[in-house]
């Protein structure tokens, strides 16, 4: 029982740590750009529901922490909902109310009456703040913790594997996979994992010559280091790193920043590639995860980071550093998702502003509201589907079935 409680506390604390950082930075992106554009802001909230803590700054903005820490929002003056939709069909009616209540000069402080480019900048600021967070975190980790990169050297080839059929041999060093430079065996595994069933070219160095081998990764269920099951592509290549392969390399500021940009782009590029294969039916949607998967991964990453630590301070430091890497990866995903042209997401607002720029008038508020409801339904449906996948992966139904039988 004590072990279960400890696991529960670790999971909850890790999940809240990761989610709070990602959400707070996202909303701060909206907030800072809105402030720079002179937009009147009523509230900045982390979490939903009744406030467990609140205060006001000198500009009159209410800062609050809600009891349900599963998101956050910035509420601009005049907004009745989180979608920033006008109250009525006619913005002139809103303008008249503002003038009557506060005078003509107050109109330009309201978000809906800002130029299109400013509203678009505010909408895009959240996702781009997530990308910037990822770059900064990756760069800081490269400067402080550094990285260990065992070379993409083939130390063994499984008999009957796709690698054996393609002609890989022990001693080969993989330089490129699918045209992408490969710096380590981990890089190679990441490329192969997403290419199950797809013929892939590998540039290999064998002795003093280079040659191209073509192999088709085979889909296989594996258990990763954090205990999750994944159906990914495998080649059958084996690596046995030597002591000298574990040399840790720490980067200088400029090199680390470039590395942060490179890693952020790699996560984004991998996400786009996976979604492309998902849409074309080459990947299964059962790998899509939701909050439960994030919580499980957060706890597992925290435990891996604490391995070998002595004392509470070292445990917290190790777990915190490991979780920052997860925050960076998740931040890229949240930033990308919010740029999708779906009403209720930031990308949906950008879509509406693009229409307004072309048509020279806002889209009818009723259409915006209908789009918002459709987008919300799609988002809720996706979350339910992802949660179902999470429950399946966690074997919740099998466990319940065993208890009830």
């Amino acid at each position: 029982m004590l072990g279960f409680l400890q696991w529960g506390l670790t999971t909850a604390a890790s999940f809240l740590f990761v989610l709070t950082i990602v959400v707070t930075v996202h909303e701060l992106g909206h907030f800072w750009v809105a402030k720079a554009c002179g937009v009147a802001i009523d509230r900045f909230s982390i979490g939903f529901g009744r406030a467990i803590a609140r205060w006001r700054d000198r500009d009159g903005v209410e800062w609050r922490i809600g009891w349900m820490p599963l998101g956050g929002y910035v509420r601009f003056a005049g907004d009745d909902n989180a979608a920033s939709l006008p109250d009525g069909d006619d913005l002139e009616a809103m303008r008249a109310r503002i003038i009557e209540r506060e005078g003509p000069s107050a109109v330009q402080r309201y978000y809906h009456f800002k130029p299109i480019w400013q509203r678009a900048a505010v909408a895009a600021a959240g996702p781009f703040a997530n990308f910037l967070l990822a770059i900064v975190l990756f760069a800081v980790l490269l400067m402080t913790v550094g990285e260990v990169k065992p070379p993409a050297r083939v130390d063994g080839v499984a008999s009957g594997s796709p690698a054996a059929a393609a002609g890989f041999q022990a001693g080969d060093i993989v330089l490129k996979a699918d045209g992408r430079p490969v710096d380590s065996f981990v890089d190679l595994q990441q490329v192969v994992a997403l290419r199950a069933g797809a013929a892939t070219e590998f540039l290999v160095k064998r002795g003093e010559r280079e040659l191209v081998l073509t192999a088709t990764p085979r889909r296989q269920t594996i258990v990763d280091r954090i205990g999750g099951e994944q159906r990914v592509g495998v080649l059958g290549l084996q690596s046995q790193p030597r002591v000298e392969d574990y040399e840790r390399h720490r980067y200088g500021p400029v090199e680390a920043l470039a590395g942060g940009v490179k890693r952020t782009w790699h996560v984004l590029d991998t996400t786009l590639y996976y979604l492309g294969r998902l849409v074309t039916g080459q990947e299964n949607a059962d790998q899509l995860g939701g909050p439960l998967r994030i919580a499980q991964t957060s706890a597992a990453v925290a435990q891996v980071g604490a391995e070998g630590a002595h004392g509470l301070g070292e445990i917290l430091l190790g777990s915190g550093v490991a979780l920052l890497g997860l925050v960076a990866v998740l931040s890229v995903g949240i930033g990308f998702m919010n740029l999708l042209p779906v009403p209720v997401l930031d990308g949906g607002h950008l879509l509406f502003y693009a229409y307004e720029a072309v048509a020279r008038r806002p889209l009818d508020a009723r259409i915006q509201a209908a789009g918002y409801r459709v987008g919300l339904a799609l988002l809720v449906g996706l979350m339910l589907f992802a949660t179902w996948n999470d429950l399946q992966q966690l074997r919740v139904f099998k466990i319940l079935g065993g208890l009830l039988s």
Side-chain angles (χ1 to χ4, degrees):
M1 183 66 179
L2 184 61
F4 177 78
L5 289 175
Q6 182 179 5
W7 175 85
L9 289 173
T10 301
T11 300
S14 302
F15 176 63
L16 290 179
F17 176 81
V18 169
L19 188 65
T20 299
I21 293 177
V22 173
V23 170
T24 300
V25 170
H26 179 94
E27 297 304 328
L28 282 174
H30 293 309
F31 179 83
W32 284 329
V33 174
K35 288 280 285 186
C37 293
V39 176
I41 302 172
D42 283 344
R43 179 183 296 166
F44 183 99
S45 178
I46 297 300
F48 300 107
R50 179 173 295 182
I52 59 176
R54 68 172 79 189
W55 64 95
R56 287 192 180 274
D57 62 22
R58 61 184 181 183
D59 294 323
V61 179
E62 179 193 19
W63 296 74
R64 64 154 57 189
I65 300 175
W67 71 269
M68 189 167 60
L70 295 176
Y73 62 92
V74 178
R75 193 174 79 179
F76 303 127
D79 279 352
D80 285 337
N81 53 62
S84 294
L85 298 175
D87 293 337
D89 299 335
D90 192 355
L91 287 174
E92 289 305 316
M94 183 185 295
R95 183 193 302 272
R97 288 194 298 271
I98 296 171
I99 293 175
E100 181 181 357
R101 187 173 60 246
E102 303 176 49
S105 62
V107 173
Q108 293 305 314
R109 297 179 61 246
Y110 283 75
Y111 178 76
H112 298 294
F113 298 101
K114 289 292 182 179
I116 294 176
W117 71 267
Q118 290 189 5
R119 283 178 278 148
V122 172
F128 280 97
N130 283 129
F131 297 143
L132 182 60
L133 171 65
I135 292 171
V136 170
L137 286 180
F138 281 137
V140 169
L141 291 173
L142 288 172
M143 282 192 297
T144 56
V145 180
E147 64 178 350
V148 177
K149 301 175 69 173
R153 183 184 59 244
V154 177
D155 294 314
V157 180
S159 177
S161 67
F168 278 92
Q169 297 179 10
D172 288 348
I173 297 177
V174 182
L175 304 177
K176 289 185 179 181
D178 195 34
R180 304 158 187 261
V182 171
D183 296 326
S184 69
F185 199 81
V186 174
D187 290 348
L188 176 61
Q189 289 176 312
Q190 290 175 346
V191 172
V192 170
L194 291 178
R195 285 163 176 78
T200 307
E201 288 190 349
F202 298 87
L203 178 63
V204 173
K205 184 177 181 181
R206 182 176 295 169
E208 297 300 321
R209 63 194 182 99
E210 294 182 359
L211 62 157
V212 175
L213 302 177
T214 301
T216 302
R218 180 184 301 154
R219 193 178 302 279
Q220 183 175 316
T221 300
I222 66 168
V223 178
D224 58 31
R225 191 183 178 192
I226 60 176
E229 284 190 357
Q230 299 184 46
R231 286 184 54 77
V232 298
V234 296
L235 279 181
L237 297 176
Q238 299 165 356
S239 173
Q240 297 175 339
R242 304 158 189 168
V243 175
E244 59 268 23
D245 293 335
Y246 285 99
E247 182 180 355
R248 186 174 299 276
H249 175 62
R250 291 182 175 85
Y251 293 75
V254 176
E255 191 182 11
L257 183 60
V261 172
K262 181 180 177 181
R263 286 194 172 197
T264 300
W265 171 250
H266 175 70
V267 174
L268 183 58
D269 183 49
T270 301
T271 302
L272 290 169
Y273 181 82
Y274 172 75
L275 290 177
R277 284 176 59 87
L278 187 64
V279 170
T280 56
Q282 299 177 73
E283 287 288 347
N284 258 331
D286 58 6
Q287 294 301 311
L288 288 174
L292 294 179
R293 189 90 55 99
I294 296 174
Q296 179 202 25
T297 303
S298 300
V301 168
Q303 290 172 356
V304 169
E307 287 179 359
H310 302 285
L312 181 61
E314 287 188 15
I315 291 174
L316 291 176
L317 179 61
S319 296
V321 169
L323 285 172
L324 287 179
L326 178 61
V327 168
V329 173
L330 185 61
S331 190
V332 177
I334 294 295
F336 168 75
M337 186 186 75
N338 272 278
L339 283 176
L340 295 176
V342 178
V344 77
L345 300 178
D346 297 320
H349 292 299
L350 293 173
L351 184 64
F352 289 150
Y353 298 149
Y355 171 88
E356 184 178 344
V358 174
R360 298 188 178 278
R361 60 183 175 81
L363 190 63
D364 188 279
R366 288 171 297 185
I367 299 177
Q368 292 190 53
Y372 175 81
R373 288 191 289 270
V374 171
L376 184 60
L378 288 173
L379 194 61
V380 171
L382 178 61
M383 291 301 296
L384 290 175
F385 178 75
T387 301
W388 173 267
N389 283 343
D390 293 347
L391 294 174
Q392 293 277 31
Q393 190 193 54
L394 294 172
R395 301 185 181 89
V396 171
F397 300 114
K398 289 184 180 179
I399 293 172
L400 289 176
L403 293 174
L404 295 174
S405 61

